[in-house]
Amino acid sequence: MDSALSDPHNGSAETGGAANGTTRPPSTPEGIALAYGSLLLMALLPIFFGALRSVRCARGKNASDMPETITSRDAARFPIIASCTLLGLYLFFKIFSQEYINLLLSMYFFVLGILALSHTISPFMNKFFPANFPNRQYQLLFTQGSGENKEEIVNYEFDTKDLVCLALSSIVGVWYLLRKHWIANNLFGLAFSLNGVELLHLNNVSTGCILLGGLFIYDVFWVFGTNVMVTVAKSFEAPIKLVFPQDLLEKGLEADNFAMLGLGDVVIPGIFIALLLRFDISLKKNTHTYFYTSFAAYIFGLGLTIFIMHIFKHAQPALLYLVPACIGFPVLVALAKGEVTEMFSYESSAEILPHTPRLTHFPTVSGSPASLADSMQQKLAGPRRRRPQNPSAM
């Protein structure tokens, strides 16, 4: 997981170097402000809309489309798994050819990106289909074994509207695969972030504190203690980060002096903010106090990260600033309102998600194109159905 906000002035966020030994001219103050402001906006969009969609997802009645619930045990193990993954990628880039590794990763994220983007745009696209649109249902089913030992490998249900969304998303996928353009990268990155916030649910606030606290240490260590995270972020040609060029005003869409924000800095605080929105709804007071407080805290924390990075001209572990803000602000509000006990006793999985499965293994594949994109973070709850393993991109 990449969780660093990087400063292009020292090269940590550059995806394109100066050609023929020439020195890249410094970015203008206007270009820097535009890049940082755009990164902030791109981070806020999937958190806000992903949190709203997480409520609808939690209330869904289809068991196959239920979100994954992260428990305290999962949260405690996550920083260790993330560290091993990050170190493994670093060693791979040191030992093997970066070109071949990125080719494999590009194909992998090409498929996942299309599915994630299709799921993201599906609710919006459905509004444009006329009432008399010929929408047909399809199913692609693969099984193994026979009789009582028969098991489903892939159960892929979709309709004509899904095919249209997949076709549109495939255009972006081909664009990304051929050009690696920063706009295509951001479209996939935003889709991954929104899906993560929507489909990964913390079961309670204590679990959120464990997860954010563990990743706080993870982020600080791998950014300040080593060059591993920044090296992987520079070498990893995949939509695991949001980028925006600081030289856009000078070079237009072909700009190549990028500032970047790792998707981990969006999804991890985002799922905590989404949990607080569901907590607000559970209070039945018709207010979203904790959601707006944590959302404002995220803006403050990321803004502080950008400020510190700009002052010191060095990549910053964004969670160093985001975690205290996103946890501290809502807790202070709860203290002021006398609702600390209610906050920490709230169980998302018990109140809104009575049948949500635990996150006990890597996600699997099944369902419609929308639920196939969802399957990056979920599994089917049925006792007799199994699906193939499909590692999460984040």
Side-chain angles (χ1 to χ4, degrees), residues 158-184:
F158 56 98
D159 56 29
T160 309
K161 293 180 180 180
D162 293 323
L163 291 177
V164 174
C165 293
L166 283 172
L168 294 175
S169 301
S170 297
I171 296 174
V172 178
V174 172
W175 182 24
Y176 171 77
L177 195 63
L178 296 180
R179 295 291 303 277
K180 295 292 192 299
H181 198 276
W182 59 274
I183 295 180

Side-chain angles (χ1 to χ4, degrees), residues 353-373:
L353 310 172
H355 304 296
T356 302
R358 285 183 64 246
L359 180 62
T360 54
H361 58 70
F362 286 107
T364 54
V365 176
S366 182
S368 66
S371 62
L372 184 57

Side-chain angles (χ1 to χ4, degrees), residues 312-333:
F312 291 97
K313 302 292 187 283
H314 188 277
Q316 295 295 312
L319 294 182
L320 173 64
Y321 311 96
L322 290 172
V323 169
C326 290
I327 294 178
F329 283 31
V331 169
L332 289 176
V333 171

Side-chain angles (χ1 to χ4, degrees), residues 118-314:
S118 176
H119 175 235
T120 300
I121 67 174
S122 180
F124 305 101
M125 290 299 300
N126 286 336
K127 299 178 182 179
F128 295 97
F129 290 107
N132 59 349
F133 182 81
N135 192 34
R136 297 184 177 181
Q137 302 293 325
Y138 304 93
Q139 183 179 24
L140 183 64
L141 179 64
F142 289 96
T143 62
Q144 70 175 6
S146 59
E148 295 181 356
N149 296 324
K150 190 174 184 179
E151 296 179 348
E152 289 185 6
I153 303 301
V154 174
N155 186 1
Y156 187 54
E157 299 174 355
F158 56 98
D159 56 29
T160 309
K161 293 180 180 180
D162 293 323
L163 291 177
V164 174
C165 293
L166 283 172
L168 294 175
S169 301
S170 297
I171 296 174
V172 178
V174 172
W175 182 24
Y176 171 77
L177 195 63
L178 296 180
R179 295 291 303 277
K180 295 292 192 299
H181 198 276
W182 59 274
I183 295 180
N185 173 92
N186 286 344
L187 289 175
F188 278 169
L190 289 171
F192 285 137
S193 300
L194 190 145
N195 287 337
V197 175
E198 176 186 358
L199 301 170
L200 285 174
H201 288 196
L202 296 164
N203 65 346
N204 54 50
V205 173
S206 297
T207 297
C209 293
I210 293 172
L211 180 65
L212 268 66
L215 290 176
F216 172 91
I217 299 173
Y218 157 90
D219 213 16
V220 171
F221 173 77
W222 289 112
V223 174
F224 285 153
T226 71
N227 68 338
V228 171
M229 184 176 290
V230 174
T231 300
V232 171
K234 290 170 59 180
S235 305
F236 202 87
E237 294 182 3
I240 60 166
K241 52 186 177 288
L242 300 174
V243 299
F244 200 90
Q246 297 200 31
D247 52 349
L248 179 68
L249 300 178
E250 292 79 21
K251 296 185 178 181
L253 296 179
E254 298 304 318
D256 59 358
N257 185 17
F258 295 107
M260 75 176 185
L261 176 68
L263 295 190
D265 299 326
V266 180
V267 176
I268 299 303
I271 61 178
F272 186 75
I273 294 172
L275 170 68
L276 293 179
L277 174 60
R278 299 194 297 275
F279 170 62
D280 275 323
I281 294 174
S282 74
L283 294 176
K284 300 179 181 179
K285 295 183 178 180
N286 220 12
T287 62
H288 295 157
T289 304
Y290 295 101
F291 171 67
Y292 290 127
T293 299
S294 57
F295 196 74
Y298 182 87
I299 297 175
F300 170 78
L302 190 57
L304 181 60
T305 306
I306 292 172
F307 174 77
I308 297 296
M309 183 190 68
H310 185 65
I311 295 298
F312 291 97
K313 302 292 187 283
H314 188 277

